[in-house]
Amino acid sequence: MEKSRRTFIRQVALASASVLLPKTSWSNAKSYKRIIGANDRVRVGVVGFSDRHKSSHIPSFMSHYKELNFEVVGVSDIWKNRREEGAAVWKKQMQNDVKAYRNNEELYNSNTIDAVFISTADFQHANHTIEAVKAGCDAYVEKPFAETMEENRAALKAVRESGKIVQIGSQRRSGANYHAANDFIRSGKFGPITMVELSWNVNQPGRWRRPELIGQLKEDETDWKRFIMNRPYEAFDPRKYLEYRLFWPYSSGLPGQWMSHQIDTVHWFTGLKHPRSVVANGGIYQWKDGRRNWDTILAAFDYGPLDDLSNGFQVTFSSRMHNGDENPAEIYYSNGGELNLNTNKVSPQGGLTKNMAAAMNMQPNLLPEISLKSTEKVIASANTGGDIMTSNHIRNWMECVRSRKEPNAPVEAGYSHSIANIMTTAAVHTGYKATFDEKRQEVIANGKIFKY
């Protein structure tokens, strides 16, 4: 079993957009051919009983599972404590037997799963998605989708070839106000985008820290080698296991965790697949607790058509973890005004006035003061609960598992936000401007392909 596990991880790491991944040991004709009927109960497995899954997936799922005829039947987690807790929590919720599995091979070999939630460590999402679709399962996958282009390409290829329904956990795509913003921008009424300001500031000393759990995690109660997958080997460290968001290459930190949400809206609203370039600056200015990932960042992106460098716009992303009001901001600017997704209003604020336009013999784009649909609000706290956007997003995935229609955040959305994230990570770690080689589908910094 250990040998086959290492073989699979090596195969995933070496896979690229031009290489077909072989079937894993748990793939079989039955899992590929099974079609969920209108009245069939959809059996769901949990890959990683994480805080995100516990706080947000569970209440969201419970709001819709009876109506859509879903049930959770298994929990896979390599840490004994979490898989036992997960099975117990879900058994209480479902009022039926929920089995605990030591790893994903056991889960998929059980042949009892139709779909999975994937909420493992950031760097594992892409590889766990490949496992899921190769086992014939649909998947709801938390962001960031991938932290390296090698894994990003391999996961995109695997999902497309499988025909499985994969929803990326970019829940803004299921928010009514975001749909209204997308419709307004695409209608042409907003005019060409000239600038986008994204920010996400908090003051949460304990964010991404798990001191109460560090002492509980024992090496003999988990599988450290399975956890680090294809990353360079390091000795067992409970901090890197439980606080992975603070440590590259297990997470990119601020770009993967927060920027991935906001940059996704840029791709969605504009139809652009990735930035043309990224530069970044920042550091660890406040929380000197041994972390590797910055607590403060400012990244500047150039977006626009690849074949016309005279057209485009700038995007900035700023984030600090040591002073902030937990009120993420996304403001789109045109020459006529702004579209503000904090106030959920389009307004002529800062735009060219009628008199100014007349004096310059220009046609003004006079934006009206209108309100976007808004019953949802982005939650920036560590525990979002079953917020309405996440609930809507999980429901959309469940409905698409049944209808086989494309979900609100398909795998291509994850692929695109991952390119932006990896470009930002490359700029952070090299100090150089990062660009994207469209032909090779590789991130380039200082003339070299960026690798962890």
Side-chain angles (χ1 to χ4, degrees):
M1 182 65 75
E2 176 63 22
K3 183 178 179 181
S4 66
R5 180 189 67 80
R6 291 199 304 269
T7 299
F8 172 77
I9 291 173
R10 179 171 56 82
Q11 289 168 343
V12 168
L14 294 176
S16 69
S18 62
V19 178
L20 176 62
L21 285 172
K23 294 181 181 179
T24 58
S25 60
W26 54 78
S27 296
N28 54 63
K30 181 180 178 181
S31 68
Y32 277 99
K33 292 180 180 178
R34 185 175 192 276
I35 299 174
I36 298 170
N39 297 317
D40 290 341
R41 180 162 294 177
V42 179
R43 302 165 301 173
V44 179
V46 174
V47 176
F49 190 72
S50 65
D51 292 340
R52 171 66 176 166
H53 180 76
K54 187 176 180 179
S55 71
S56 299
H57 294 173
I58 290 179
S60 298
F61 180 89
M62 294 302 293
S63 296
H64 311 296
Y65 84 100
K66 286 185 178 178
E67 177 187 352
L68 297 172
N69 198 17
F70 278 62
E71 68 174 337
V72 170
V73 298
V75 174
S76 168
D77 199 296
I78 57 176
W79 184 19
K80 180 176 181 289
N81 288 23
R82 278 187 168 162
R83 69 172 169 267
E84 290 179 352
E85 178 191 3
V89 167
W90 271 114
K91 183 176 182 178
K92 183 177 181 181
Q93 294 283 353
M94 292 283 94
Q95 295 295 303
N96 59 237
D97 185 38
V98 175
K99 293 185 178 180
Y101 296 94
R102 293 177 301 169
N103 53 57
N104 296 343
E105 286 160 301
E106 287 189 353
L107 174 71
Y108 296 128
N109 277 332
S110 71
N111 290 320
T112 60
I113 306 296
D114 304 307
V116 291
F117 281 108
I118 297 175
S119 58
T120 48
D122 291 355
F123 73 103
Q124 298 171 340
H125 293 165
N127 290 339
H128 284 160
T129 300
I130 294 170
E131 288 183 7
V133 299
K134 289 290 180 180
C137 290
D138 300 313
Y140 183 99
V141 186
E142 277 300 334
K143 53 85 223 151
F145 183 56
E147 296 272 36
T148 72
M149 281 308 304
E150 190 172 44
E151 292 159 342
N152 202 22
R153 292 191 304 270
L156 176 68
K157 178 177 172 58
V159 173
R160 283 178 168 174
E161 290 182 344
S162 73
K164 293 300 172 182
I165 300 298
V166 171
Q167 175 91 296
I168 306 300
S170 301
Q171 62 264 27
R172 281 167 171 74
R173 290 200 178 219
S174 292
N177 54 333
Y178 284 90
H179 277 274
N182 178 52
D183 292 344
F184 188 81
I185 288 174
R186 287 179 178 268
S187 73
K189 296 176 183 177
F190 188 64
I193 295 170
T194 55
M195 177 78 181
V196 183
E197 291 180 347
L198 310 174
S199 63
W200 194 308
N201 303 316
V202 302
N203 198 348
Q204 299 170 353
R207 190 65 178 253
W208 303 342
R209 294 294 308 272
R210 297 292 184 272
E212 71 284 358
L213 292 179
I214 297 296
Q216 298 178 28
L217 180 62
K218 308 300 181 185
E219 187 172 7
D220 61 359
E221 293 183 348
T222 189
D223 189 334
W224 174 246
K225 290 183 179 179
R226 187 181 288 271
F227 173 81
I228 63 174
M229 301 186 84
N230 57 356
R231 293 308 190 258
Y233 180 77
E234 295 186 72
F236 173 73
D237 185 342
R239 284 202 68 193
K240 294 183 178 71
Y241 188 110
L242 293 165
E243 300 177 347
Y244 59 85
R245 294 178 179 89
L246 303 177
F247 298 97
W248 175 256
Y250 309 110
S251 171
S252 58
L254 293 169
Q257 281 293 308
W258 294 341
M259 190 191 80
S260 62
H261 278 303
Q262 295 186 319
I263 209 73
D264 176 62
T265 66
V266 177
H267 301 153
W268 179 20
F269 295 169
T270 66
L272 296 170
K273 295 181 179 180
H274 57 77
R276 292 189 293 210
S277 67
V278 185
V279 293
N281 209 335
I284 302 171
Y285 297 126
Q286 176 64 36
W287 306 121
K288 303 182 187 300
D289 54 7
R291 69 182 63 198
R292 294 175 185 166
N293 290 332
W294 292 353
D295 63 13
T296 308
I297 190 173
L298 175 63
F301 303 78
D302 173 53
Y303 271 91
L306 300 179
D307 59 354
D308 183 4
L309 299 183
S310 67
N311 282 319
F313 57 94
Q314 187 179 57
V315 177
T316 60
F317 170 75
S318 62
S319 183
R320 60 183 182 268
M321 302 185 73
H322 42 78
N323 183 285
D325 57 5
E326 300 184 23
N327 198 28
E330 295 156 72
I331 306 175
Y332 285 74
Y333 297 96
S334 75
N335 194 42
E338 69 175 38
L339 187 156
N340 189 321
L341 282 157
N342 266 40
T343 62
N344 287 309
K345 289 184 181 298
V346 175
S347 75
Q349 178 74 26
L352 192 64
T353 66
K354 185 175 182 179
N355 290 340
M356 291 169 62
M360 299 175 69
N361 196 28
M362 294 176 65
Q363 181 65 36
N365 176 34
L366 302 174
L367 290 178
E369 180 86 27
I370 63 172
S371 294
L372 304 169
K373 297 176 183 177
S374 177
T375 56
E376 300 109 347
K377 180 175 174 58
V378 171
I379 308 298
S381 63
N383 181 354
T384 67
D387 63 283
I388 189 168
M389 281 191 193
T390 300
S391 181
N392 290 346
H393 207 50
I394 287 177
R395 182 185 178 93
N396 173 251
W397 172 64
M398 294 166 75
E399 290 175 339
C400 290
V401 167
R402 291 213 165 275
S403 69
R404 312 314 291 175
K405 293 180 180 178
E406 183 176 87
N408 287 343
V411 65
E412 289 80 9
Y415 188 78
S416 286
H417 83 226
S418 295
I419 294 174
N421 290 351
I422 296 163
M423 289 175 71
T424 307
T425 303
V428 165
H429 285 269
T430 67
Y432 289 93
K433 177 189 287 188
T435 58
F436 191 67
D437 186 319
E438 190 73 19
K439 183 176 181 180
R440 292 185 288 176
Q441 294 289 292
E442 291 281 11
V443 171
I444 308 297
N446 192 27
K448 302 174 184 177
I449 295 174
F450 176 70
K451 302 282 188 180
Y452 60 79

